[in-house]
Amino acid sequence: QVQLVESGGGLVQAGGSLRLSCAASGRTFSTYTAGWFRQVPGKEREFVAALARSSRTYYDDSVKGRFTISRDNAQNTVYLQMNNLKAEDTAVYYCAASSNADYVVRLSRRYDYWGQGTQVTVSS
């Protein structure tokens, strides 16, 4: 079992930055692929970024060049650095852990554990 707790969300102006954290307990996070997803009301949860066990990173095209996913193994924590935020980035952001292969990192249904989510609101 892995417990995930996100933090770092909040209200920021367009063009600003936030760093989300996802702290894991129960198991070593680096033995899983770590993913970030986001969801707005009325829409499906969508893939944002992932960091595989191989350390390969994956990004949705909408955030490429603006967001960076990273891991601190000593802290058992994964981060999502979000720069140049846009109004369309407003959503609840979820951290997740997957024991599945890299080729499914963009599929939310392939993740085994989820955090409770943290709200990110970008004002234009």
Side-chain angles (χ1 to χ4, degrees):
Q1 280 280 56
V2 177
Q3 293 79 43
L4 304 174
V5 178
E6 301 101 332
S7 61
L11 173 64
V12 63
Q13 288 188 333
S17 299
L18 283 174
R19 188 178 79 157
L20 304 183
S21 300
C22 177
S25 60
R27 298 285 295 271
T28 301
F29 207 168
S30 61
T31 63
Y32 295 85
T33 286
W36 285 98
F37 290 78
R38 63 189 181 187
Q39 189 170 24
V40 297
K43 290 192 173 182
E44 291 191 0
R45 195 167 294 187
E46 64 176 18
F47 172 76
V48 175
L51 176 56
R53 286 167 287 188
S54 62
S55 296
R56 182 173 178 178
T57 56
Y58 301 81
Y59 296 95
D60 184 77
D61 286 346
S62 64
V63 306
K64 204 172 290 183
R66 301 188 297 122
F67 290 12
T68 303
I69 188 170
S70 62
R71 191 198 310 266
D72 183 333
N73 290 335
Q75 298 294 324
N76 214 26
T77 298
V78 168
Y79 302 98
L80 184 68
Q81 178 66 45
M82 305 186 295
N83 298 329
N84 190 22
L85 283 160
K86 304 176 181 181
E88 52 263 42
D89 295 319
T90 295
V92 177
Y93 283 70
Y94 297 90
C95 172
S98 170
S99 57
N100 291 296
D102 283 16
Y103 69 91
V104 294
V105 297
R106 299 173 186 272
L107 302 178
S108 60
R109 64 181 182 272
R110 291 296 193 174
Y111 283 77
D112 308 297
Y113 305 101
W114 291 85
Q116 83 288 352
T118 185
Q119 176 71 46
V120 171
T121 303
V122 183
S123 62
S124 56

